[in-house]
Each structure stands twice: as C-alpha cells, then as structure tokens.
Amino acid sequence: MLSIHTFAAAGADTDAVLEDIGRQIAESGAAPHFVINFFGCDHDAEKIRVFLGNRCPNAVFIGGTSNTGLMTDRALWEKDAIGVFAVEDADGQYGVAIDSIGDDPAATAEKALRVALENATCPGELPSMVFVYQAPGGEEEVLDGIRKVVGEGCPILGGSAADNDTSGRWRQISNAATTKNGLAIAVLFPSGEVSTAFQGGFEPAGPNGIVTRVVPDRFGKNRGHEVAEIDGRPAALVYDEWSNNMLGEKAATGGNVFEETSAHPFGVEAGDIDGVTNFILVHPVKATPEGGMITFAAIEQGARIHIMRGNRKRLAQRAGNVAAGAAERLPAGAKSLAGALLVFCAGCKRAIGDRMPEVARDVTANLGNRPFLCCFTFGEQGHISGKNAHGNLMIAAAAFGT
Amino acid sequence: MNGQEALRDALDRCRRENDALRTEVTHARTLLDALASLLLIDTREDPFFHVFESLHAVFGFEHAAAYTEQDPANLVCVAASLKDNVGSRWNAKTFLNRVLGGRVSATFDTKSIEEYQDLSQSVPRDRPALFIPLRVAGKRGLLALIKPAGAPGFDRKDVELAKRFSLLASHAMAACDNRRRLEENEVRAEAAEESNRAKSEFLASMSHELRTPLNAILGFSEIIAQECFGPVGSQRYKEYAGDIHASGAHLLSLINDVLDVGKIEAGKMEVAPAMLDAGSVFGSALKLIGTRAREKNQELTVCVQPDAPPLYADERALKQILVNLVSNAVKYTPPGGTITVSGRAGPDGAFLIVCTDNGPGIPPDKLARLFKPFSQVDNRFNRSEGGTGLGLSLVRGLTELHGGRAWLESEVGRGSSAYVLLPGAPTDLSQRAG
C-alpha cells in the first residue's frame, strides 16, 4: 500500500539542515521508493544528492531548486529550506533520468523519458504520470518530446526550477547527477491511483488582441519568448495601456517587470479541450527597449492574447482549491488521498505576498492534513482537460491515492 | 469579448462538456450492459465473444485475445479474434506478471517489452496495446487489446475505464462460470438419477425373471431329495439334489434381497405398518437364525424390555430387518460369541431395536459405507463369510420407509451394535394398544 511522508528543515548550513532531515526520516521509519526534493538555491545541490542517495538507498529521486522557500503540511518555509516528499510503495515502479537540456530540448526529453522508463523496468508502458523538473526555457519543446513517446494521454506535471532572483542559480537533481541547465524526469507507476489538476487563478480582464509578431528563438519559427507586437503595435505599450499604465516608464525604456505583471499576466486561449476553454497564463518578465515583452512561456504568433486579472484573496484561495480538486478526482475520492505534490508559480507567490501563510494553512485544510510538498517555480506544466500544457502563474497538483 | 459572446462561449463549452460526458457514460453503459449480458447468455456460448464485442465498441481495437495462466507464468490463449492464436502459449515475465497481478497497462512501444520477443510472428507487434487483468474460472488471466498500426495509443482515460471493467468483468466471468458449472452438475445429476432408476428397474425385472426358473429348480430338487416318486437309486444323487435345493434356496434369498433393494431405490417398495406384538415377531423372525447360532455355539438372547412402547411396523419388513441384523451378527461373530437382540423404549415414543455382538468390530472409516448396497467391511470378509452386502442396505431402506433411522456403532476388538429406531404409533392407535 502506498504511503507518503514529508520532511523539511531550514537553515543556512546545508549539512545541518540535511542532518535534521536525516533525523526526521529515521524517526519516521520510512524507507521510500520514490522521492521528490526541493531546496533553496543557496544550498549545495551535490551535497543534497549524495545525502539522498545515502539516506534513501532504495529510492529513485528527482527535484531541484524552489523560489524563496517551499510549503509543506507543516509550514510555509523560508528560502533556505529543504523539503522531501517520500513515497513508500513497494508494489509501484518508479524511474528517473537527468540530462542537460542542450540545443534540442525535445530530443533530450524524449531520450530522458525512455531512460526513465527503462530505469523503472517499464519500457514501452504508459506511466500513470510523468514528472518533469527543468531549467527555465524550452518547456514547450520538452513537452513535445515527451508527447512524441507517450502521446497526450499521460498527464505530465512539473515545473521550471527557480532561484530567488532570476539570476540563473537554479538546479535540477536526480540520483545520477545535478545539473544547472538540465532536465530531470520521473515516470511514475504507483500501485495506487494518481489524479492531477492544473489551473490559473486569473480571468480575462477584457482587453485582448492578436500577437502579430514574436521574435523567433531557437525553439521555433512562429513562437518565441518575446512578444514583439500585439495588433501591430509594440507589445509593452499595448500591455501598459491594457493595465492602466502599470509599466510606467519601463514601457518605453524597458526593464524588469516581473513584479508589476504578476497580478496581470497574459492569458492565451488554450483552445477547445474536451469542451472547456482554458487560458494558459504567460508571465511577462521583462520589457525590451524596443517595446517587446519577454515572457517565461513561449507564445505562438497569431494567438489571441488577453490581459488577465486576479485578486490576492482569490489567488490565495486557489492553491487549496486546486489541491482539493486533484484529491477529489481520485477514483476512490479524497478519502483515499495519501498525499499530494504541488507546483506553484513563484510569480503568484509574490503577488500573494504576506498572505502566503494563509495559503499553506488552506492547502493543509483542503488536503485533510495529509502530507504535501509544494515548490515555487518559474513555469508550470500540467494536464488540463486532456492535454498537457506549459504555463505561468499556474498551480499544478498531483494527488496520490493509497 | 462582450457579454453576449461570453455567454455564447460558455454555452458552447457546456455543450461540448456535455458531449464528452455523454460519450463517457455511453462507454460505461456499453461495458456494464456487456457484463450484465454475461449473466444471461446461454452458457454454451463463448463469453469472450460478448466481452470482445463490448470492448471493441468502447476501445476500438483491431485484435483481441484472452489468456489464462495454466501453470505459474505459463499463459495459454483461450480466445482470440485471430482464431489461429487460440491455444498458443505465452511466458509471463516482468511485464505480464504485473498485469496478472492486477495492473492495467497501456503500452505504446511493444518492441521494448521482453515478453513480446517470445511471441509467434502471427501476433501483431509494434502497435498500441491495452492489457487488462481478468480472473477466469478461478485462474489469473488477462485480455490484450491491440490497435491498428499507426493508431493513437490508449490513454489514461482508457486505463481508468479498463480498471473498472477488469474488476467487474472478473466477477461477471466468475458468475458465468458458476452458472455453467451448476447447469452441468444438474445435467450430470439428472443423468445419474436416470441411470440409477434404470439400474433398479433392470434389477427388479431380472430378479423376477430369475425367480421363475428358480422355483422349478427348487421344487424339482426337493421332490428328488424327498424321493416323492420313488427312490433315486444312489444315495449320492439324493445328497446332490439336497445341495441343489439348498443352493437354490440361498440364491432365491439373494434374489429377493436384490429385488427389495431395487424396489426401495426405485421408490416402489411400500410398507403397511400395523400394531404388532413385539415378542411374537421377534421370536418367529429369529427362530431360524437361532439354529445357525447354535451351530456356532453362539449365545443368542432375545428380549423385549418391559418399558418398550407399542411396536408399529410392517410385519414382513420388520422381520426382514431383524433377520438381516441378526444374520450379520451371527455371520461375523466368532464361534462361542454372544449376540443380544433387544426391543426397548426410544425417544419420543419410538421403538428401538438394538442388536449387539462381541464380534471383531468394524473400523470407523468403514462404518458409513456399510449401509450402501453391495458394501462389506472388506474383501477378506467377502471371501470368508460370503454374502452380497445387501443386508444393511435393506435394513436402512426398510427402516427409512417407516420414517425411522438405522445406524451402527462399533469398536474394533470389542464388537458392534446395530440400532433401528422406528417411530411410535399414531396417538390414537397407541392409546388403543396401551
């Protein structure tokens, strides 16, 4: 029978934090088979990798850095925390792989997925879920690579590893290695059920337009991470008008707009997915001097783009609702919930600000005090109405049934 | 987007969502209907035909096969859309063992699966497949559904639906199998009953046909032995005629027993109980046997205890019961032994007959079968003591015709007691007799 434990501790000294976590694991008597691990970017990833290998010898593990802390069923942790989500499941199969993303993220993802399936002793089989944790950038291509192997019918959940200040100190971790610009991937064949949920907590504010030009980047001709024009005009100017001049001077001069746009991301219509129209949120993080807007997620040229709105209260409640939604989707219902994993957008966390402790309490209550671990990321992947997608300012949740 | 557009969009979404839900419900209903039909189909039909048909409507596969585990890890194809595959074997390793253990598995790349290397070339490969565990006739098994080459693979929704199907299908298959076995058992039981009735009728008929010539043998041998029409000339011929008569008489007794057992089994024996004088019936029934007991120097005691209730039985049948019980006792009790026959009060006004001897006794494992026709303790007794083994069967049959019960108690080395419990007389008769 599948069971889940979470362990966490915080502090500047990596060794001391790991010692604390080691003590917690020993006291729990847990002997996990699969581990997901998140940690602050100031910690030494290699030390954590070695620690997990020694402390959980029967487990495959995967994880990476989380923005300014993490969240568990016990607390909202500060930026120097390390958290462990440990799954005990002798009858399940789990496999992991890690690699540098390189120039062809789709090919890397495809290869890593096949290695992970082999590692799980389940080559050729459709997993219950794929979990990815990667360096920011190329998320859509990574999804494409995974789709090429398992199609669209397998839920993919994950996030883009985040540091505390977008300076590039993110890391990914697995049994075999730690990477800076890598992709860690896990395939899950748990003995219990898994269900997922993926949502943004924003609604269209009204103004919208067509993306008439993107700056193509290495990931595609007609899509890119810089929206140059909306309806034929500089994107930053259009956004500034839609948002009642939230960018101010930066609309003309350019600059970091990560915080200004957190409460008003772009929303791209995700199309018809099993009868439900969904918006994938795209977080603009920088304005360019040329009037373009650089986003965490790629946008297709020709897409209809909206400015979205949300309020702090609604954002604060969303994580609990998403977690509860995933748990309720378990075939045996939320009563069969063993624990949950959440991927929460760092931008949302920032927008919610000092109400985050309230979020932690709300998620805990919505999951019936079952163990959970939540990381804060620079991009989220989830399964939305039958399709896998990458978005920003989203919350993804996976509920594990016993 | 203005208000009208938003409303239209929301309505469209609801409509599409509704369509998707309707499809799911239709699939679930199709599978449930198929499983329900398994409970009603003619059990001579192949249940897999129904299973495959319903699964095809939901999952849209090209080929399907059902396997059951004959020996551990050794699967045999019991049904398949490609008939050539029926009977083929498949060795379960890591992947198939997980499926047999209960995991529904969708595969997108069968090249990588170890077990596929062992399959015959006629089994389609490199195609999306769905493996569903299933219990069939108490054995572990699985269904394999294979899509056409190039078709989209099975997804998690398919897996989730198949999980539910797997559980219900195993129950439905078990119910179908139980029903088939029940029907087979009923047919077998009817055949056995018919065969038994035919046997009894044959025995009754043959016994009757045998008695007719036997009467002539008995009559003429007696005339010769008694020299009714003058001396036979040689004393030896006269002795032979006496032997012929004695053997004929024995044979007649056997035939009568066979006839009676046959009648009882065929339900044609009837008894006419009446109030009897126990002492008188016991005395006359055991007169002849007393002679045999004396020949073996056995002490035969017959008594009806003062507290014995009125005896209500068919006189002829009761005499047969007594003769058979005491004959057995005399036969198996060694010379010099003792045999006691008593009539006494049983429970609820019943009359209990107990025949006790101090013979060799009967082992416990042999006791039960002694009441079956043609059963004796063992062949050794057959050879040394003769007999057909019909005596106790007759005793039980005749006792049961009275609504009573017959049983044996025995201890090896100490002797045996045979009990016959005959129900008491109806109240009005009993009071008159009293």
Side-chain angles (χ1 to χ4, degrees):
Chain A
M1 192 183 199
L2 182 148
S3 65
I4 288 172
H5 307 261
T6 53
F7 310 102
D13 181 351
T14 305
D15 292 326
V17 175
L18 291 177
E19 192 181 328
D20 190 349
I21 289 175
R23 184 185 48 75
Q24 292 175 36
I25 295 173
E27 283 173 1
S28 75
H33 301 90
F34 176 57
V35 166
I36 292 180
N37 161 244
F38 301 120
F39 51 94
C41 61
D42 292 332
H43 284 298
D44 182 340
E46 186 58 19
K47 274 188 179 175
I48 296 171
R49 188 186 72 81
V50 172
F51 164 81
L52 287 175
N54 291 333
R55 195 62 199 79
C56 306
N58 298 320
V60 292
F61 59 86
I62 181 178
T65 51
S66 173
N67 172 268
T68 63
L70 46 89
M71 202 160 52
T72 71
D73 41 294
R74 282 168 55 202
L76 174 70
W77 298 83
E78 293 301 316
K79 65 177 184 177
D80 53 6
I82 298 176
V84 171
F85 181 82
V87 180
E88 277 187 297
D89 183 17
D91 295 326
Q93 280 78 40
Y94 301 87
V96 295
I98 190 165
D99 205 348
S100 291
I101 287 185
D103 293 335
D104 189 346
T108 302
E110 185 184 342
K111 183 179 151 209
L113 178 63
R114 290 191 189 280
V115 171
L117 286 166
E118 288 280 351
N119 183 233
T121 70
C122 300
E125 285 188 67
L126 189 72
S128 295
M129 191 178 94
V130 174
F131 183 76
V132 290
Y133 212 65
Q134 65 173 98
E139 289 88 348
E140 290 87 353
E141 288 73 16
V142 166
L143 290 182
D144 284 345
I146 297 170
R147 272 189 205 107
K148 198 173 167 190
V149 181
V150 295
E152 201 65 84
C154 170
I156 301 169
L157 192 100
S160 307
D163 59 8
N164 294 336
D165 53 9
T166 66
S167 62
R169 296 170 63 219
W170 43 70
R171 294 285 184 281
Q172 305 79 42
I173 186 172
S174 183
N175 294 66
T178 58
T179 54
K180 182 176 183 301
N181 287 308
L183 163 70
I185 193 163
V187 292
L188 284 68
F189 295 86
S191 61
E193 306 284 352
V194 181
S195 60
T196 62
F198 189 44
Q199 271 187 30
F202 295 79
E203 61 183 4
N208 62 85
I210 301 292
V211 176
T212 45
R213 190 166 71 86
V214 296
V215 177
D217 57 28
R218 61 188 177 124
F219 300 126
K221 282 183 183 172
N222 292 318
R223 63 177 172 173
H225 289 75
E226 183 181 339
V227 182
E229 291 176 0
I230 298 170
D231 291 336
R233 299 170 59 221
L237 285 178
V238 173
Y239 181 94
D240 196 46
E241 286 171 18
W242 286 357
S243 63
N244 294 325
N245 304 113
M246 285 187 70
L247 299 185
E249 284 184 5
K250 290 179 185 173
T253 61
N256 191 327
V257 296
F258 184 86
E259 290 205 34
E260 290 89 336
T261 56
S262 288
H264 294 280
F266 286 133
V268 180
E269 287 181 16
D272 298 335
I273 303 165
D274 278 359
V276 180
T277 302
N278 284 290
F279 289 95
I280 298 294
L281 301 175
V282 179
H283 190 178
V285 287
K286 278 182 185 167
T288 66
E290 293 77 27
M293 293 196 85
I294 293 173
T295 56
F296 268 147
I299 293 182
E300 293 274 350
Q301 194 165 292
R304 180 165 289 279
I305 196 169
H306 297 250
I307 185 166
M308 309 294 280
R309 67 177 170 205
N311 61 56
R312 287 179 76 207
K313 187 181 174 193
R314 195 171 157 193
L315 287 176
Q317 290 170 340
R318 184 168 51 119
N321 292 340
V322 174
E328 281 160 13
R329 279 192 197 110
L330 284 169
K335 66 180 187 303
S336 68
L337 178 71
L341 183 69
L342 273 77
V343 181
F344 194 112
C345 176
C348 274
K349 179 176 186 262
R350 200 166 287 224
I352 293 168
D354 58 7
R355 293 186 77 161
M356 275 307 292
E358 187 185 316
V359 174
R361 285 193 296 274
D362 195 41
V363 173
T364 304
N366 272 284
L367 292 176
N369 294 307
R370 305 291 208 292
F372 78 89
L373 177 65
C374 175
C375 60
F376 301 111
T377 52
F378 285 163
E380 298 74 43
Q381 289 83 44
H383 195 246
I384 187 164
S385 302
K387 287 193 175 177
N388 292 300
H390 165 64
N392 301 139
L393 301 163
M394 305 287 282
I395 295 179
F400 293 78
T402 51
Chain B
M1 191 184 289
N2 60 34
Q4 269 191 333
E5 282 174 336
L7 188 59
R8 198 178 303 125
D9 187 49
L11 280 172
D12 277 352
R13 263 185 269 155
C14 286
R15 202 172 291 128
R16 285 189 293 267
E17 206 168 26
N18 197 30
D19 287 347
L21 280 174
R22 195 174 293 142
T23 304
E24 280 187 34
V25 170
T26 304
H27 284 171
R29 192 173 289 155
T30 304
L31 291 179
L32 279 175
D33 286 350
L35 295 176
S37 76
L38 281 182
L39 305 176
L40 303 170
I41 61 167
D42 185 331
T43 53
R44 287 165 298 184
E45 285 182 50
D46 179 1
F48 286 107
F49 174 78
H50 293 262
V51 171
F52 288 166
E53 201 175 49
S54 60
L55 288 173
H56 186 267
V58 173
F59 295 113
F61 55 81
E62 186 178 31
H63 299 296
Y67 291 83
T68 59
E69 191 178 39
Q70 299 301 311
D71 313 306
N74 185 7
L75 300 178
V76 173
C77 180
V78 291
S81 55
L82 291 173
K83 297 296 175 199
D84 288 351
N85 286 335
V86 175
S88 65
R89 289 179 178 271
W90 204 1
N91 197 18
K93 293 174 186 169
T94 309
F95 170 69
L96 288 180
N97 270 321
R98 281 184 198 140
V99 177
L100 291 172
R103 183 157 103 188
V104 174
S105 185
T107 62
F108 54 85
D109 180 9
T110 53
K111 284 193 303 288
S112 331
I113 295 172
E114 191 183 5
E115 283 96 329
Y116 265 80
Q117 315 310 318
D118 304 334
L119 281 179
S120 78
Q121 291 303 315
S122 63
V123 176
R125 295 158 190 252
D126 300 347
R127 299 175 186 199
L130 184 64
F131 292 83
I132 306 171
L134 189 69
R135 283 195 80 83
V136 181
K139 291 177 182 169
R140 297 199 307 171
L142 60 87
L143 292 171
L145 312 182
I146 299 155
K147 282 198 173 185
F154 292 99
D155 62 19
R156 293 307 303 176
K157 271 190 180 172
D158 295 325
V159 170
E160 295 307 322
L161 191 58
K163 277 182 187 172
R164 279 146 195 76
F165 171 81
S166 166
L167 195 65
L168 293 173
S170 292
H171 286 300
M173 292 295 274
C176 188
D177 190 51
N178 286 342
R179 198 157 59 86
R180 182 181 53 73
R181 272 195 265 184
L182 190 66
E183 286 178 10
E184 284 172 0
N185 284 344
E186 280 172 3
V187 168
R188 268 199 292 270
E190 273 175 28
E193 203 175 308
E194 178 58 32
S195 161
N196 201 34
R197 195 162 44 241
K199 182 198 76 183
S200 298
E201 282 174 4
F202 171 77
L203 283 175
S205 157
M206 280 306 291
S207 300
H208 177 74
E209 294 302 320
L210 286 170
R211 279 207 304 195
T212 307
L214 194 53
N215 281 334
I217 293 169
L218 282 170
F220 287 121
S221 60
E222 191 173 14
I223 287 170
I224 296 169
Q226 290 180 1
E227 297 177 318
C228 292
F229 300 109
V232 289
S234 163
Q235 183 60 27
R236 190 168 285 182
Y237 287 151
K238 187 182 171 185
E239 284 170 17
Y240 287 165
D243 291 343
I244 291 169
H245 186 266
S247 297
H250 180 61
L251 185 56
L252 181 61
S253 146
L254 290 180
I255 290 168
N256 284 338
D257 283 354
V258 168
L259 187 62
D260 286 344
V261 168
K263 272 185 180 173
I264 290 170
E265 287 191 347
K268 289 180 179 170
M269 173 75 93
E270 287 179 3
V271 291
M275 299 306 301
L276 301 175
D277 175 6
S280 162
V281 178
F282 275 45
S284 68
L286 302 177
K287 201 172 177 182
L288 275 174
I289 301 167
T291 310
R292 290 200 338 243
R294 276 193 296 280
E295 285 168 7
K296 289 181 77 174
N297 286 325
Q298 291 166 332
E299 185 184 335
L300 174 62
T301 309
V302 180
C303 71
V304 177
Q305 292 182 359
D307 65 340
L311 177 55
Y312 182 70
D314 179 291
E315 185 172 354
R316 180 178 165 273
L318 180 63
K319 281 181 177 172
Q320 268 183 290
I321 289 171
L322 288 166
V323 166
N324 276 296
L325 283 182
V326 183
S327 294
N328 270 345
V330 170
K331 194 188 294 180
Y332 294 117
T333 303
T338 59
I339 298 156
T340 307
V341 184
S342 67
R344 62 177 86 155
D348 301 325
F351 191 98
L352 181 65
I353 301 167
V354 185
C355 176
T356 304
D357 65 54
N358 65 347
I362 303 162
D365 60 318
K366 304 279 170 46
L367 274 177
R369 67 182 168 96
L370 283 181
F371 281 105
K372 291 179 180 164
F374 308 107
S375 281
Q376 290 183 314
V377 174
D378 59 28
N379 288 334
R380 181 168 54 79
F381 282 105
N382 264 349
R383 284 193 300 274
S384 62
E385 307 297 344
T388 57
L390 287 171
L392 286 177
S393 172
L394 260 179
V395 167
R396 172 167 282 181
L398 292 169
T399 305
E400 287 175 354
L401 282 175
H402 283 83
R405 195 161 64 86
W407 71 99
L408 269 176
E409 290 175 3
S410 186
E411 195 176 336
V412 174
R414 293 184 68 94
S416 307
S417 291
Y419 296 84
V420 170
L421 187 70
L422 296 169
T427 315
D428 55 337
L429 288 176
S430 168
Q431 280 166 354
R432 246 182 281 161

